[in-house]
Amino acid sequence: MKRVHRYKRTGRMISALTALAVLFALFIPSFCSAGREALTVGVPTDRCPIFYVDRETGEIEGIGAELMKMAAERAGYDVTFKALGEESLKDALDNGDYDLVMPFGSAISSTSGQESIVSDNLFQTPFTLVTEEDEKPKSLNDLRIGMLRSLRGAVETVQQLYPGVTIRLYDNMDKCVTAMREGEVDALLHNSYVWSYILQKPLFSKLTMQTSAMITMDFRAGTVDTPESREIIERLNEGIAMISDTHRQAVILDYTTRRLYVYDFSDYLHEYGLVALLFVCLLITVILIVIERHQTMRLRQEEEMRRLIDQDPLTGALSLHGFRNRVEELLREHPDVPYVLVYGNIRNFKYINDSLGREAGDELLRFWVKLLKDSLREDEVVGRLNADRIAIFHHADGMDKLDWYDRTVINPVRNYFMDRGKEIRVQVCGGIYILTPEDYREINVDQMLDYGHLAEKRMRSIHGDGYGFYNQEQWEKGRRIAEVINHLPKAIESGDLKVWYQPQVDCATGEITGAEALCRWDHEKLGWLYPPAFIDTLEESGMIYDLDRFVWDRVCQDLKRWNEEGYHRSVSVNVSRRDLREDRDIPAHFKELTRKYGLTPDQIRIEITETAFVEKPEHLISTTKKLQEYGFEVEMDDFGSGHSSLHMLKEVPVDRIKLDLHFLTASGDPEKGRIIIRHMIQMVRDLGMRMITEGVETEEQAQFLRNKGCSEMQGYWFHKPMPVEDFEKLFTGQEK
Ligand code: C2E
Ligand code: MG
Ligand code: MG
């Protein structure tokens, strides 16, 4: 129990002592500073490590501050440092806010002219010259020296010591160094302790302290001379005297060995600029590579996605989407290629799947597509629309291609399982859609597929198998066009193209006055072809000029032969309105023909259809005039065919009008037709032109025309067009 009591008593004592200690600790500083007088000292702050503002505490610190604090405390003052706002110490002396101002080497008068007093020396500050690396300064007396403007106070001291020295002042250290580097000054002078701080800056690392050229200066506090300030200085001097040298050295050592310099951005740039540049380049390169890789990857992914959307993974054909796009592309790229779309379907595909398994069905589709792909050109395409529906888009190459396709693709597909020993015949149905010019103008692939599908369905319901057309007529027409265009050169060469003659007669005398040359084609595949079957096609394809030149040449050969036999005949030849292009000199061509075959121009009569005159009046009028100049007769063919303008008769200088009876008698009131013809004959005669009527089929028509004054006629009533040998027989009996 006793022991417990003793412990309690000891505990209470410890607590009391601790509380006392805390109280002491809290109040001792105020005890100490209590009774001390406050002293405000103005100091510069740009002289690390002598005076500077601590980054963390914001307090002014440094060797000067520390020593001043020591001296003032010992003299019974409590010091507060204040950063100098004035430009110079002289100005600061006039500011009554400071009790003291630092540092002074000696007493100077203030800007307003007041005398000052200074304290004893706080410590001796060495001043050192700094030069560029490897530069040995001459004697200080002959030098041009750069100093900070804020050290103006020290300038006087230096000049007293070295009267020969020239001193230039600069606002900051950067300007000082630049001036030295540019040769404005030989060296820079500053406090050695401050140098040790400044030279830590990488930009100044090449500067060298010339310790041999060192001068020392006092470091004092000063103030304007008043009785009060004298008292402060006296007390302060007592405090200064109390600081031992050891203390001073310790403070100096402490601050000069601290790493006080902090790198700013320009220092980092100078120190690590090259490395940073390399790093930035590397970083940019890496970023560019990453972006490039990313883009390539994205493109590849997009391509892959497109491939997946556009391709049928089972067969390797295009998907419906891909097929649609590719067909649109082909039509835009090749608007001149005639295409067909074939829609194929396997009728018994479900049965094949059910009985032989899906894999067998897939195999069949793959086989079909492979055969197609092997046979297609680059600008043809195959697509799998769904299940067993295959669409093919290829050139419309005619029946031969279809036969070939049936043999090399469809038959092997039909017999696919039979060839592999299974008793199933594949039923392939197809619908063919031949593209029309409209399909090239307004591309609608879905509609083409619908047409193909429709034809396929029709074929399936009627025959169960095989291929059918959606637009058979189109196919026939296309085939005919191809046959005509492709075979014309061969027909001209081989003699399949013939010139027949239809005699023209004088109805009054029955005499043959001439003939019209009309071409006939003994086509090797299509049999005898008459002009309406191919003239339009040749006109559209631009090949009519080849045919016409052949006919004209053949006519001239015949005329020459007849001339040689003593028969001087005249023949009318047709000139297509397509021949009459501005860049072709038709008159010159005919002139050359007559020269070549030794004919007279009256032997060739040139028929130009009335419609041609309507289309290009100016050019035709000048051509007509030229032809007449050369002595040829020009006839206006098919007059009355419906487009004629009476005004034309006045403008166009033709020699003969060829009235087409067919146009005037085919329909309408025959009596009115007769009245028109009668007046036309009269009018043409009054205009001073000659007239021939073609298409005369009956005696009655011939009689009527003769009565009305038109005696020259051409028509079945007299003669049908006939081969040259037959025509020759007709006139060889006549007078030469
Ligand atoms: P076109 O120049 O008006 O020729 C007259 C057409 O009328 C010929 O038809 C002729 O056979 C036909 N014809 C003659 N008499 C009668 C008749 O009494 N009744 C009926 N119904 N028809 C008759 P074809 O030979 O079929 O020629 C038709 C058209 O083809 C020609 O009309 C001409 O425009 C063109 N053509 C014929 N041969 C050539 C040629 O070598 N070059 C060019 N550019 N066109 C030609
Ligand atoms: Mg004619
Ligand atoms: Mg005619």
Side-chain angles (χ1 to χ4, degrees):
M1 264 311 258
K2 265 188 177 172
R3 197 185 268 177
V4 172
H5 270 292
R6 206 169 44 235
Y7 280 145
K8 274 187 178 170
R9 216 179 309 131
T10 323
R12 271 201 295 272
M13 268 173 69
I14 291 171
S15 309
L17 277 173
T18 314
L20 208 65
V22 168
L23 273 174
F24 187 74
L26 279 172
F27 292 108
I28 200 79
S30 32
F31 283 147
C32 296
S33 63
R36 279 195 193 169
E37 289 164 59
L39 200 62
T40 305
V41 182
V43 295
T45 51
D46 59 348
R47 282 185 215 170
C48 190
I50 297 192
F51 289 119
Y52 66 93
V53 177
D54 187 273
R55 282 173 177 266
E56 281 165 23
T57 60
E59 299 282 321
I60 294 174
E61 291 188 11
I63 302 168
E66 192 74 36
L67 291 174
M68 180 60 181
K69 221 187 283 172
M70 277 183 179
E73 270 173 14
R74 281 164 176 73
Y77 288 112
D78 201 12
V79 178
T80 307
F81 292 106
K82 222 172 161 186
L84 286 179
E86 291 72 17
E87 267 207 358
S88 68
L89 290 176
K90 282 176 170 248
D91 292 346
L93 280 175
D94 286 329
N95 188 345
D97 288 348
Y98 313 119
D99 297 316
L100 290 172
V101 175
M102 290 179 78
F104 286 99
S106 55
I108 52 169
S109 52
S110 78
T111 308
S112 64
Q114 299 183 72
E115 287 301 315
S116 70
I117 49 165
V118 291
S119 69
D120 289 345
N121 193 17
L122 258 168
F123 71 109
Q124 207 67 39
T125 57
F127 268 61
T128 323
L129 282 183
V130 157
T131 58
E132 286 276 34
E133 201 179 28
D134 305 333
E135 270 218 16
K136 284 270 162 263
K138 304 168 263 179
S139 142
L140 227 158
N141 228 347
D142 309 326
L143 285 181
R144 292 169 302 156
I145 286 176
M147 285 178 77
L148 284 180
R149 200 174 298 284
S150 55
L151 289 177
R152 215 180 284 152
V155 172
E156 280 174 30
T157 317
V158 177
Q159 266 169 341
Q160 278 163 17
L161 288 171
Y162 302 98
V165 80
T166 314
I167 296 177
R168 289 207 176 122
L169 299 177
Y170 300 96
D171 290 340
N172 54 45
M173 193 46 77
D174 282 343
K175 285 187 181 165
C176 284
V177 175
T178 311
M180 183 170 70
R181 285 185 173 156
E182 286 175 358
E184 232 173 77
V185 291
D186 305 311
L188 304 175
L189 184 68
H190 206 328
N191 187 308
S192 309
Y193 302 140
V194 181
W195 275 136
S196 64
Y197 168 80
I198 290 174
L199 297 188
Q200 288 173 35
K201 189 175 173 68
L203 201 62
F204 302 153
S205 60
K206 294 264 167 71
L207 302 183
T208 316
M209 267 210 265
Q210 302 294 340
T211 39
S212 55
M214 197 178 279
I215 52 173
T216 51
M217 285 199 213
D218 293 348
F219 194 90
R220 301 164 193 266
T223 175
V224 285
D225 191 2
T226 60
E228 297 83 45
S229 61
R230 274 184 183 275
E231 195 199 317
I232 294 172
I233 293 289
E234 267 167 33
R235 276 175 61 186
L236 187 65
N237 285 345
E238 282 167 25
I240 292 170
M242 289 159 88
I243 302 171
S244 68
D245 274 351
T246 325
H247 260 115
R248 279 196 183 87
Q249 291 312 318
V251 171
I252 292 168
L253 195 69
D254 176 19
Y255 280 96
T256 46
T257 50
R258 285 187 197 184
R259 182 117 195 127
L260 292 170
Y261 187 79
V262 181
Y263 272 25
D264 60 16
F265 180 69
S266 67
D267 294 330
Y268 282 114
L269 206 66
H270 181 265
E271 190 82 334
Y272 305 110
L274 192 66
V275 180
L277 191 73
L278 285 175
F279 178 74
V280 169
C281 287
L282 196 76
L283 197 72
I284 290 172
T285 315
V286 170
I287 290 172
L288 286 178
I289 290 173
V290 168
I291 291 174
E292 214 264 333
R293 285 260 168 90
H294 182 74
Q295 267 180 341
T296 321
M297 217 158 74
R298 204 167 50 93
L299 282 177
R300 214 176 291 151
Q301 276 169 353
E302 271 178 19
E303 216 166 85
E304 184 62 21
M305 282 292 287
R306 215 173 301 130
R307 208 179 56 78
L308 283 176
I309 296 172
D310 285 358
Q311 258 199 352
D312 166 39
L314 178 70
T315 60
L318 291 179
S319 64
L320 171 60
H321 184 265
F323 182 79
R324 206 184 274 135
N325 286 347
R326 183 71 185 128
V327 168
E328 282 175 5
E329 219 171 76
L330 286 174
L331 287 176
R332 269 194 289 272
E333 279 169 16
H334 309 286
D336 46 342
V337 174
Y339 274 109
V340 297
L341 185 144
V342 183
Y343 186 102
N345 179 14
I346 296 173
R347 199 184 173 198
N348 52 348
F349 195 63
K350 189 173 168 359
Y351 173 71
I352 291 168
N353 274 340
D354 290 348
S355 55
L356 301 175
R358 279 189 73 90
E359 188 45 39
D362 290 351
E363 286 266 316
L364 174 66
L365 290 175
R366 274 197 287 264
F367 177 73
W368 189 6
V369 167
K370 167 129 189 15
L371 287 180
L372 283 169
K373 277 180 133 184
D374 290 348
S375 68
L376 292 182
R377 292 174 245 204
E378 237 178 48
D379 54 354
E380 298 175 328
V381 65
V382 54
R384 179 168 167 246
L385 311 177
N386 62 27
D388 57 339
R389 273 128 224 257
I390 303 278
I392 312 135
F393 192 69
H394 64 79
H395 290 204
D397 285 331
M399 261 348 241
D400 296 352
K401 172 81 180 233
L402 278 188
D403 290 347
W404 174 87
Y405 176 66
D406 205 54
R407 271 196 323 276
T408 50
V409 178
I410 300 305
N411 263 340
V413 173
R414 269 190 200 118
N415 301 327
Y416 182 75
F417 292 115
M418 308 242 276
D419 290 347
R420 285 158 183 76
K422 292 181 183 108
E423 280 302 302
I424 292 182
R425 186 171 183 275
V426 180
Q427 290 175 290
V428 190
C429 294
I432 302 170
Y433 174 68
I434 296 117
L435 270 68
T436 63
E438 186 57 29
D439 293 319
Y440 292 80
R441 277 193 293 273
E442 268 195 31
I443 302 171
N444 186 342
V445 183
D446 288 338
Q447 194 181 58
M448 297 174 205
L449 286 167
D450 283 348
Y451 291 152
H453 190 193
L454 221 71
E456 181 266 327
K457 270 205 290 201
R458 202 159 51 210
M459 201 63 201
R460 193 163 17 128
S461 61
I462 301 170
H463 303 286
D465 194 313
Y467 274 73
F469 287 93
Y470 174 80
N471 42 358
Q472 182 86 32
E473 333 73 53
Q474 194 78 28
W475 177 252
E476 296 296 338
K477 192 178 160 206
R479 192 162 61 112
R480 223 172 23 246
I481 291 173
E483 292 290 359
V484 166
I485 293 173
N486 298 340
H487 288 81
L488 181 74
K490 209 173 132 216
I492 289 176
E493 226 173 75
S494 65
D496 287 352
L497 209 69
K498 321 258 183 219
V499 176
W500 282 21
Y501 293 93
Q502 184 174 31
Q504 295 167 344
V505 295
D506 184 327
C507 184
T509 61
E511 194 188 321
I512 293 173
T513 54
E516 179 175 6
L518 297 162
C519 67
R520 298 289 180 265
W521 190 342
D522 187 8
H523 196 282
E524 59 176 350
K525 278 196 188 149
L526 308 173
W528 276 101
L529 295 179
Y530 287 79
F534 56 86
I535 293 286
D536 283 354
T537 307
L538 291 178
E539 280 185 338
E540 274 168 35
S541 66
M543 293 176 85
I544 190 72
Y545 193 50
D546 297 336
L547 176 128
D548 279 348
R549 276 183 307 172
F550 163 77
V551 172
W552 303 337
D553 199 83
R554 181 52 55 87
V555 168
C556 289
Q557 285 177 30
D558 289 341
L559 285 168
K560 181 185 178 220
R561 196 174 64 253
W562 297 331
N563 277 353
E564 285 163 0
E565 288 166 9
Y567 299 100
H568 187 82
R569 308 245 48 122
S570 294
V571 170
S572 301
V573 292
N574 289 290
V575 174
S576 162
R577 59 183 201 280
R578 292 290 156 106
D579 296 337
L580 295 157
R581 287 192 351 211
E582 257 119 273
D583 58 343
R584 281 191 194 129
D585 193 350
I586 296 289
H589 186 82
F590 278 109
K591 194 177 174 200
E592 172 56 21
L593 279 176
T594 51
R595 191 203 58 76
K596 182 176 168 192
Y597 292 104
L599 308 174
T600 52
D602 64 295
Q603 290 190 278
I604 300 175
R605 296 167 182 166
I606 292 151
E607 288 192 12
I608 301 172
T609 48
E610 182 201 33
T611 45
F613 283 103
V614 179
E615 279 169 16
K616 285 165 132 189
E618 282 89 27
H619 178 62
L620 276 194
I621 289 169
S622 66
T623 307
T624 305
K625 282 184 178 158
K626 194 90 191 179
L627 284 166
Q628 288 171 331
E629 235 174 70
Y630 291 154
F632 300 108
E633 269 197 11
V634 182
E635 299 181 353
M636 190 186 282
D637 199 2
D638 298 339
F639 188 74
S641 61
H643 308 284
S644 55
S645 134
L646 292 177
H647 160 79
M648 287 263 303
L649 283 177
K650 185 163 67 79
E651 302 295 325
V652 182
V654 292
D655 302 285
R656 200 157 76 149
I657 297 287
K658 197 168 189 189
L659 183 73
D660 193 325
L661 203 59
H662 188 248
F663 291 121
L664 291 161
T665 53
S667 60
D669 185 342
E671 183 48 34
K672 283 185 182 165
R674 274 193 290 274
I675 295 171
I676 293 171
I677 293 165
R678 198 174 69 221
H679 285 283
M680 268 191 177
I681 295 169
Q682 186 62 42
M683 182 179 66
V684 171
R685 199 190 301 139
D686 289 351
L687 286 168
M689 296 172 188
R690 288 185 291 118
M691 177 176 249
I692 178 169
T693 311
E694 66 177 327
V696 182
E697 291 182 339
T698 64
E699 186 186 7
E700 193 199 346
Q701 286 173 338
Q703 207 58 44
F704 170 79
L705 288 164
R706 202 177 50 163
N707 289 343
K708 299 303 163 206
C710 173
S711 59
E712 260 196 280
M713 292 176 214
Q714 178 185 336
Y716 292 172
W717 172 248
F718 302 99
H719 299 284
K720 287 196 166 176
M722 58 187 77
V724 63
E725 310 82 45
D726 294 352
F727 179 55
E728 278 176 4
K729 277 184 208 148
L730 274 183
F731 65 78
T732 42
Q734 280 188 0
E735 258 182 58
K736 290 189 180 176

